Every structure is written in structure tokens, then in C-alpha cells.
């Protein structure tokens, strides 16, 4: 491994992911798992400040500017560092703006995948949140008439992009999956994954995805010792899971408090990864989670 690689592997780095990714060599990362920042739903700096200010829906970022930025990061910089046959998994949701759904996942896809981008779309998974989502049905309860209906939003998309053709980089190694084929078939055979979200306040971050999402994706698209990247590392769910399941990792985040949070959580055992249960059993919040 080159010296510059040794300096950044198994690290959670404070900085702009565009700058950090330039330091990585080409064809180095096997798998990226991340959730990019919400366009307008969350002001991360306000949340991290801890002053109690309202941090939801305040950024007013232009949609085209947002998409251009994400296309630059995923379509150019992440693609460059990804190995031939590697994957990029993006957890991203639609956004509701003044009663209209903005289909950000599909708008971004149109810029990333061929023929307009470089990536191939390998899979599109629906993350069904089971126990939590955006409540919009109340308006229909108040006005139960045609045209007032709004569905509760109970899902996000997991876009799985592939670099190269479907056979690129495929290998077969023994003991790659942790459970029997039958157990995994029940959980992952379909394009809808039923995984409960992290309860509010469980981790001091506004929108962590559950550990089970990076766990499944790592087991399906990487082997031990592969490099896993999260350019928007946040609370560190991806890097924590990678550390505990034998992957090398690189996490990047702009917010110092989130970098410190992610580093502090690395040695804690993953708590909510299931073998067969449909809904995770969220027990009483441990005191050390409340502190962070």
C-alpha cells in the first residue's frame, strides 16, 4: 500500500469530501455507502451547534446547484476512486416542497447513469421504514374529499451503482456471507427492505440511517479487507459497521462535531443488526448514546 493510502485508510477525516477524494488514488475503493446531505430539509451546522435553533427546512439551496454538486461528487470524484467492478450505494429520499414531491433520487440518477453519466444502475432498493416516516395523511383526515389525499412517506431509495459491466471484478470466496443462503434469501430477495429507522434522539445526529443498511450492503458487495468509503460520514454508521466486519474504511465529513461523534462510536458493538426479525427491537437507550 502506498504511503498516501496508509495515511487515510481506517480514518475518519474532517474536510470537504471533494478535497479529500483528490488525495486518493484511482481504482482504490471497492464500495461506497452513504446518504448525501438533504437539499433543504436539514441545516447540519445549526444542528451541530447545539444551541437549540430550528434546523429543519431552512437552507433554500437551489435544486440545480444541489444536483450539480452531487453529480460532481458521485459522477466524477467517487467514480474515479472506485475500482472497476466496484459499487456506490446512495441512500436518498424524495423531498416535499410546498405540497409537491421533488424526485431527487431520479433527478440525480439521470445525471449519474449511462447514457448521460458514467455509472451503470445495478439495483434500486426501496427502504421501507416500517415504524417511521413523514406524516402527511392528517390533512386528508381533516378534509376527507377528493384531491386532498396525501400519503405518509414511509420509504427512501437505495440506489446501487456499478462501475463496469455486470461481470467486472466478480470473484468467489468462501465464507463471504454470515448466515445460510436460506436466511439471507428471506431478507434480501426482494427489492423492498423492511428496516426500522433509528429512533429520534438515539444518536446525536439529525438523520442517521440504521446500521443494518450498511451491514447488508457490505456483505452483498464487498469482502473482508476491501476499502469502504463514506464521503458524507455523519454519525459514522458506515465506518462503524465496516470496522466491526473486517473492512477497511474511509469516512469524510465537513462538521467537526460529527467527525468526533463518529470516532467516539467506533469501538461500540453494532446493536441493531438482525438475522430474521422484520422489525428491529429498539431497547432502552443506553446512557452512553445519550451523551453523544
Amino acid at each position: 500500500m502506498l504511503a498516501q493510502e496508509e495515511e487515510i485508510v481506517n480514518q475518519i477525516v474532517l474536510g470537504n469530501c471533494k478535497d479529500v477524494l483528490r488525495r486518493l488514488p484511482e481504482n482504490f475503493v471497492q464500495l461506497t455507502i452513504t446518504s448525501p446531505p438533504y437539499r433543504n430539509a436539514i441545516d447540519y451546522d445549526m444542528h451541530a451547534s447545539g444551541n437549540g435553533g430550528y434546523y429543519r427546512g431552512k437552507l433554500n439551496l437551489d435544486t440545480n446547484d444541489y444536483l450539480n454538486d452531487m453529480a460532481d461528487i458521485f459522477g466524477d470524484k467517487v467514480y474515479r476512486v472506485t475500482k472497476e467492478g466496484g459499487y456506490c450505494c446512495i441512500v436518498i429520499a424524495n423531498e416535499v416542497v410546498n405540497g409537491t414531491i421533488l424526485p431527487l433520487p431520479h433527478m440525480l440518477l439521470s445525471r449519474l447513469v449511462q447514457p448521460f453519466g458514467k455509472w451503470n444502475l445495478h439495483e434500486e432498493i426501496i427502504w421501507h421504514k416500517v415504524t417511521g416516516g413523514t406524516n402527511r395523511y392528517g390533512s386528508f383526515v381533516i378534509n376527507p374529499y377528493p384531491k386532498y389525499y396525501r400519503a405518509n412517506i414511509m420509504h427512501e431509495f437505495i440506489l446501487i451503482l456499478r462501475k463496469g459491466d455486470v461481470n467486472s471484478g466478480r470473484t468467489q470466496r468462501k465464507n463471504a456471507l454470515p448466515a445460510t443462503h436460506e436466511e439471507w434469501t428471506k431478507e434480501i430477495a426482494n427489492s423492498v427492505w423492511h428496516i426500522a429507522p433509528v429512533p429520534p434522539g438515539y444518536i446525536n445526529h439529525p438523520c442517521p440511517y440504521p446500521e443494518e443498511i450498511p451491514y447488508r450492503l457490505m456483505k452483498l458487495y464487498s469482502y473482508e479487507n476491501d476499502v469502504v468509503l463514506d464521503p458524507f460520514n455523519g454519525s459514522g454508521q458506515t465506518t462503524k459497521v465496516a470496522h466491526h466486519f473486517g473492512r477497511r474504511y474511509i469516512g469524510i465529513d465537513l462538521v467537526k462535531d460529527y467527525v468526533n461523534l463518529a470516532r467516539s462510536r467506533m469501538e461500540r458493538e453494532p446493536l441493531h443488526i438482525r438475522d430474521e426479525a422484520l422489525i428491529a427491537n429498539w431497547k432502552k437507550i443506553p446512557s452512553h448514546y445519550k451523551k453523544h
Side-chain angles (χ1 to χ4, degrees):
M1 188 183 297
L2 299 176
Q4 63 183 18
E5 298 171 10
E6 292 178 343
E7 291 174 0
I8 201 167
V9 169
N10 293 336
Q11 300 292 327
I12 299 174
V13 182
L14 174 64
N16 187 311
C17 66
K18 294 181 182 181
D19 299 328
V20 177
L21 289 173
R22 290 191 187 100
R23 294 163 49 192
L24 292 179
E26 294 183 13
N27 306 313
F28 180 60
V29 172
Q30 168 61 29
L31 175 63
T32 294
I33 303 172
T34 195
S35 182
Y38 286 97
R39 184 187 70 97
N40 274 329
I42 294 175
D43 185 332
Y44 295 89
D45 288 329
M46 176 65 77
H47 176 269
S49 71
N51 63 15
Y54 189 72
Y55 57 84
R56 295 188 178 274
K58 299 182 66 175
L59 296 183
N60 297 317
L61 182 63
D62 178 78
T63 303
N64 199 50
D65 290 343
Y66 174 81
L67 291 171
N68 286 339
D69 199 36
M70 294 300 106
D72 178 39
I73 292 168
F74 291 112
D76 181 24
K77 294 175 174 57
V78 172
Y79 186 88
R80 184 189 70 83
V81 303
T82 301
K83 291 181 176 180
E84 189 74 12
Y87 295 85
C88 175
C89 305
I90 304 172
V91 183
I92 186 171
N94 291 328
E95 187 176 319
V96 179
V97 181
N98 297 324
T100 298
I101 293 178
L102 190 66
L104 288 177
H106 300 96
M107 296 167 78
L108 179 58
L109 265 183
S110 70
R111 302 193 182 201
L112 296 180
V113 301
Q114 298 186 22
F116 305 110
K118 301 174 183 176
W119 294 96
N120 294 298
L121 180 59
H122 187 76
E123 294 288 353
E124 182 181 76
I125 302 295
I126 303 298
W127 167 26
H128 171 219
K129 294 186 175 181
V130 186
T131 60
T134 302
N135 185 355
R136 301 194 306 156
Y137 189 73
S139 63
F140 185 63
V141 173
I142 297 171
N143 298 287
Y145 308 107
K147 303 183 181 181
Y148 281 89
Y149 170 74
R150 305 314 303 262
N152 291 337
I153 299 176
M154 302 291 293
H155 71 283
E156 294 192 21
F157 294 86
I158 305 175
L159 309 175
I160 301 172
L161 311 179
R162 186 187 69 245
K163 183 175 181 178
D165 65 44
V166 71
N167 292 314
S168 296
R170 278 187 171 176
T171 58
Q172 294 184 7
R173 304 182 199 173
K174 293 181 179 180
N175 302 319
L177 296 178
T180 66
H181 178 267
E182 291 75 15
E183 288 174 330
W184 271 81
T185 297
K186 286 195 296 183
E187 281 294 301
I188 64 174
N190 300 323
S191 60
V192 178
W193 289 358
H194 306 280
I195 303 174
V198 178
Y202 208 87
I203 299 172
N204 190 22
H205 187 275
C207 51
Y209 47 55
E211 294 168 348
E212 189 164 343
I213 288 179
Y215 171 74
R216 289 189 185 189
L217 294 170
M218 283 179 214
K219 291 295 183 179
L220 294 173
Y221 296 109
S222 71
Y223 289 98
E224 288 189 4
N225 293 317
D226 280 342
V227 176
V228 177
L229 167 70
D230 189 341
F232 303 105
N233 196 53
S235 63
Q237 298 289 73
T238 296
T239 47
K240 177 185 173 186
V241 172
H243 173 65
H244 282 275
F245 291 99
R247 275 66 173 168
R248 294 176 290 158
Y249 59 87
I250 303 168
I252 310 167
D253 206 278
L254 269 174
V255 180
K256 185 177 181 180
D257 284 356
Y258 296 157
V259 169
N260 292 336
L261 172 63
R263 290 171 177 168
S264 73
R265 300 179 62 244
M266 289 300 292
E267 298 303 325
R268 297 175 191 164
E269 290 292 327
L271 295 178
H272 306 103
I273 293 174
R274 315 156 300 160
D275 288 330
E276 300 182 62
L278 177 64
I279 301 175
N281 181 20
W282 292 94
K283 299 179 181 179
K284 184 178 179 181
I285 300 176
S287 59
H288 60 260
Y289 269 78
K290 292 180 179 180
K291 293 179 182 177
H292 299 287

